[in-house]
Amino acid sequence: MSIESTAHTARTPLGGSGISVRPVGLGLMGMSQFYGEADPETSVSTIRSAIDLGVELFDTSDYYGASSATPGGPVAGFGHNEELLGRALRGRRDRAVVATKFSARPGPGGRSFFDGRPEYVRAACEASLKRLGTDRIDLYYYHRLDPAVPVEDTVGAMAELVAAGKVRAIGLSEVTPEVLRRAHAVHPVAALQSEYSLWERGVEAEVLPECRRLGITLVPYSPLGRGMLTGAFAPGTEFGRDDFRSTLPKFQGDNFEHNRQLVAELEEFAAGTGGTAGQIALAWLLARPHAIVPIPGSRRPARISANLAATSVRLSADDVARLSDMFDPARIKGGRYGALNTLADETAK
């Protein structure tokens, strides 16, 4: 393993869209929901600091802010996260690649649902443009599939937005290879967003090979295992009810303590390299033989700077293999989501 002197100078294309970005973006969801309360002014300042540090891809959604970590908890409001990003980008829009999403909607009685109807796609886009304070969305994701609408119809409406100049490129999130092929046949898909990290590797069997075949960039969310892979949690750490991790099996009881021991192995590996556990986890992703742009979330400029420095870490083939074995899926305890399997679970990224 080596650490190069120049960080985050390379660029990664977003599929065949003609858009390229520096290889580590910023996920903004935690500034509006799921990980405890965040101060809006601090969030705006953090986004602006991220721009100054060199982040280009900013990931949001119209839904972020619309639900809480636990049923009945406080919410910031539908569109809150987009509004934060819009405020932060005033006077800086040309320095950012904006990615947002549609389809998740609050419904009656506190229930939410997914809406992929073509007429909703168009309305959602107009509303997002207004909240973001911009005339175009660089990367527009179909957040989760609406089971009542053929994906071809939804993507067809997204293609119309591209033709109208309101959207530059389209993406999907958490879909199967078969759905990805169907969507790509209607309009080129630039990016697929799915959970992917050392400790969540479900995309490797079928999804990642299909992305390679179609020339689609993978945008991993939760690339640091919702913070676990940074080594930030002490034994016995408890998460509050306003923290989404309190509902996740990997963070509970014996599972948490077992998984923390795996992270201790990662920290030991990192200590011998001069990097941090989080930087090694991101470098492992960036070493995969595919176009990948992870979007770790953070509320602190210092953490964002550390994440960007992961692009200067070069892992050998032996390093990559050792880390892959260290976090073999059979060694991880706990599934992705809890028994509730709510829409909040499905959109938490």
Short mmCIF file of all heavy atoms in Angstrom, two decimals, residues 14-42:
data_model
loop_
_atom_site.label_atom_id
_atom_site.label_comp_id
_atom_site.label_asym_id
_atom_site.label_seq_id
_atom_site.Cartn_x
_atom_site.Cartn_y
_atom_site.Cartn_z
N LEU A 14 -19.61 9.68 -15.14
CA LEU A 14 -20.92 9.14 -14.75
C LEU A 14 -21.52 8.50 -15.99
O LEU A 14 -22.16 9.14 -16.82
CB LEU A 14 -21.82 10.25 -14.21
CG LEU A 14 -21.34 10.95 -12.93
CD1 LEU A 14 -22.31 12.04 -12.51
CD2 LEU A 14 -21.13 9.93 -11.81
N GLY A 15 -21.25 7.21 -16.14
CA GLY A 15 -21.72 6.48 -17.32
C GLY A 15 -21.24 7.15 -18.60
O GLY A 15 -20.11 7.63 -18.69
N GLY A 16 -22.13 7.19 -19.58
CA GLY A 16 -21.81 7.84 -20.85
C GLY A 16 -22.43 9.21 -20.97
O GLY A 16 -22.63 9.72 -22.08
N SER A 17 -22.71 9.85 -19.83
CA SER A 17 -23.43 11.12 -19.82
C SER A 17 -22.58 12.31 -20.26
O SER A 17 -23.11 13.37 -20.56
CB SER A 17 -23.98 11.41 -18.42
OG SER A 17 -22.90 11.63 -17.51
N GLY A 18 -21.27 12.15 -20.24
CA GLY A 18 -20.38 13.28 -20.49
C GLY A 18 -20.05 14.06 -19.24
O GLY A 18 -19.26 15.00 -19.27
N ILE A 19 -20.66 13.71 -18.11
CA ILE A 19 -20.38 14.34 -16.82
C ILE A 19 -19.29 13.51 -16.12
O ILE A 19 -19.35 12.28 -16.09
CB ILE A 19 -21.62 14.40 -15.93
CG1 ILE A 19 -22.77 15.11 -16.64
CG2 ILE A 19 -21.32 15.07 -14.60
CD1 ILE A 19 -24.10 15.01 -15.91
N SER A 20 -18.31 14.18 -15.55
CA SER A 20 -17.32 13.50 -14.73
C SER A 20 -17.15 14.27 -13.43
O SER A 20 -17.38 15.48 -13.38
CB SER A 20 -15.98 13.38 -15.46
OG SER A 20 -15.41 14.66 -15.68
N VAL A 21 -16.76 13.54 -12.39
CA VAL A 21 -16.64 14.15 -11.06
C VAL A 21 -15.39 13.62 -10.37
O VAL A 21 -14.86 12.57 -10.74
CB VAL A 21 -17.86 13.84 -10.17
CG1 VAL A 21 -19.12 14.48 -10.73
CG2 VAL A 21 -18.06 12.33 -10.01
N ARG A 22 -14.94 14.35 -9.36
CA ARG A 22 -13.90 13.81 -8.50
C ARG A 22 -14.47 12.59 -7.77
O ARG A 22 -15.67 12.54 -7.48
CB ARG A 22 -13.41 14.88 -7.54
CG ARG A 22 -12.57 15.93 -8.26
CD ARG A 22 -12.25 17.11 -7.41
NE ARG A 22 -11.38 18.04 -8.14
CZ ARG A 22 -11.19 19.29 -7.80
NH1 ARG A 22 -11.81 19.79 -6.74
NH2 ARG A 22 -10.39 20.07 -8.50
N PRO A 23 -13.62 11.62 -7.46
CA PRO A 23 -14.13 10.28 -7.13
C PRO A 23 -14.73 10.06 -5.75
O PRO A 23 -15.10 8.94 -5.44
CB PRO A 23 -12.90 9.39 -7.33
CG PRO A 23 -11.74 10.28 -7.17
CD PRO A 23 -12.16 11.63 -7.65
N VAL A 24 -14.86 11.08 -4.92
CA VAL A 24 -15.58 10.95 -3.65
C VAL A 24 -16.54 12.12 -3.55
O VAL A 24 -16.13 13.28 -3.58
CB VAL A 24 -14.63 10.93 -2.44
CG1 VAL A 24 -15.44 10.91 -1.14
CG2 VAL A 24 -13.70 9.72 -2.49
N GLY A 25 -17.85 11.81 -3.45
CA GLY A 25 -18.86 12.85 -3.32
C GLY A 25 -19.28 13.02 -1.87
O GLY A 25 -18.61 12.55 -0.94
N LEU A 26 -20.42 13.67 -1.66
CA LEU A 26 -20.95 13.90 -0.32
C LEU A 26 -22.43 13.60 -0.28
O LEU A 26 -23.22 14.18 -1.03
CB LEU A 26 -20.71 15.35 0.11
CG LEU A 26 -21.22 15.73 1.51
CD1 LEU A 26 -20.50 14.94 2.59
CD2 LEU A 26 -21.06 17.24 1.76
N GLY A 27 -22.82 12.67 0.59
CA GLY A 27 -24.23 12.39 0.82
C GLY A 27 -24.78 13.31 1.89
O GLY A 27 -24.19 13.45 2.97
N LEU A 28 -25.92 13.92 1.62
CA LEU A 28 -26.45 14.97 2.50
C LEU A 28 -27.60 14.51 3.39
O LEU A 28 -28.08 15.29 4.21
CB LEU A 28 -26.92 16.16 1.64
CG LEU A 28 -25.89 16.77 0.70
CD1 LEU A 28 -26.52 17.94 -0.05
CD2 LEU A 28 -24.65 17.22 1.46
N MET A 29 -28.08 13.29 3.25
CA MET A 29 -29.28 12.85 3.96
C MET A 29 -29.23 13.14 5.45
O MET A 29 -30.21 13.60 6.05
CB MET A 29 -29.52 11.37 3.73
CG MET A 29 -30.82 10.85 4.34
SD MET A 29 -30.90 9.05 4.37
CE MET A 29 -29.72 8.68 5.66
N GLY A 30 -28.08 12.87 6.09
CA GLY A 30 -27.98 13.01 7.53
C GLY A 30 -28.14 14.43 8.03
O GLY A 30 -28.29 14.64 9.23
N MET A 31 -28.13 15.40 7.12
CA MET A 31 -28.35 16.79 7.53
C MET A 31 -29.84 17.09 7.71
O MET A 31 -30.19 18.18 8.18
CB MET A 31 -27.75 17.74 6.49
CG MET A 31 -26.24 17.65 6.40
SD MET A 31 -25.57 18.78 5.16
CE MET A 31 -23.80 18.42 5.30
N SER A 32 -30.70 16.13 7.35
CA SER A 32 -32.15 16.35 7.47
C SER A 32 -32.88 15.26 8.23
O SER A 32 -33.99 15.50 8.71
CB SER A 32 -32.78 16.48 6.08
OG SER A 32 -32.33 17.63 5.41
N GLN A 33 -32.31 14.06 8.33
CA GLN A 33 -33.05 12.99 8.99
C GLN A 33 -32.16 11.80 9.31
O GLN A 33 -31.03 11.70 8.84
CB GLN A 33 -34.22 12.50 8.12
CG GLN A 33 -33.79 11.83 6.80
CD GLN A 33 -34.97 11.43 5.95
OE1 GLN A 33 -35.59 12.26 5.33
NE2 GLN A 33 -35.28 10.15 5.89
N PHE A 34 -32.67 10.93 10.15
CA PHE A 34 -32.17 9.59 10.44
C PHE A 34 -31.00 9.50 11.42
O PHE A 34 -30.81 8.48 12.06
CB PHE A 34 -31.79 8.84 9.16
CG PHE A 34 -32.98 8.44 8.33
CD1 PHE A 34 -33.02 8.73 6.99
CD2 PHE A 34 -34.06 7.79 8.91
CE1 PHE A 34 -34.11 8.37 6.22
CE2 PHE A 34 -35.16 7.42 8.15
CZ PHE A 34 -35.18 7.72 6.79
N TYR A 35 -30.15 10.53 11.55
CA TYR A 35 -28.99 10.42 12.42
C TYR A 35 -28.97 11.50 13.49
O TYR A 35 -27.92 12.01 13.86
CB TYR A 35 -27.70 10.46 11.59
CG TYR A 35 -27.59 9.29 10.65
CD1 TYR A 35 -27.67 9.46 9.27
CD2 TYR A 35 -27.42 8.00 11.14
CE1 TYR A 35 -27.59 8.39 8.41
CE2 TYR A 35 -27.33 6.92 10.28
CZ TYR A 35 -27.42 7.11 8.91
OH TYR A 35 -27.33 6.04 8.06
N GLY A 36 -30.14 11.84 14.01
CA GLY A 36 -30.22 12.86 15.04
C GLY A 36 -30.35 14.25 14.43
O GLY A 36 -30.21 14.46 13.24
N GLU A 37 -30.61 15.21 15.29
CA GLU A 37 -30.87 16.58 14.84
C GLU A 37 -29.60 17.25 14.33
O GLU A 37 -28.52 17.07 14.89
CB GLU A 37 -31.46 17.40 15.99
CG GLU A 37 -31.92 18.79 15.59
CD GLU A 37 -32.59 19.53 16.73
OE1 GLU A 37 -32.75 18.93 17.81
OE2 GLU A 37 -32.94 20.71 16.55
N ALA A 38 -29.76 18.02 13.25
CA ALA A 38 -28.64 18.79 12.69
C ALA A 38 -29.07 20.24 12.55
O ALA A 38 -30.22 20.53 12.20
CB ALA A 38 -28.22 18.23 11.34
N ASP A 39 -28.17 21.16 12.80
CA ASP A 39 -28.47 22.58 12.69
C ASP A 39 -28.40 23.01 11.22
O ASP A 39 -27.36 22.81 10.56
CB ASP A 39 -27.45 23.38 13.51
CG ASP A 39 -27.66 24.88 13.32
OD1 ASP A 39 -28.70 25.40 13.75
OD2 ASP A 39 -26.76 25.52 12.72
N PRO A 40 -29.46 23.58 10.67
CA PRO A 40 -29.46 23.95 9.26
C PRO A 40 -28.34 24.91 8.86
O PRO A 40 -27.74 24.75 7.80
CB PRO A 40 -30.84 24.59 9.06
CG PRO A 40 -31.69 24.01 10.14
CD PRO A 40 -30.77 23.83 11.30
N GLU A 41 -28.06 25.89 9.68
CA GLU A 41 -27.01 26.85 9.33
C GLU A 41 -25.64 26.18 9.28
O GLU A 41 -24.83 26.46 8.39
CB GLU A 41 -27.00 28.01 10.32
CG GLU A 41 -28.28 28.83 10.34
CD GLU A 41 -28.65 29.36 8.95
OE1 GLU A 41 -27.75 29.79 8.21
OE2 GLU A 41 -29.85 29.31 8.61
N THR A 42 -25.42 25.28 10.22
CA THR A 42 -24.17 24.54 10.22
C THR A 42 -24.08 23.65 8.99
O THR A 42 -23.00 23.51 8.38
CB THR A 42 -24.04 23.68 11.49
OG1 THR A 42 -24.07 24.54 12.64
CG2 THR A 42 -22.76 22.88 11.49
#
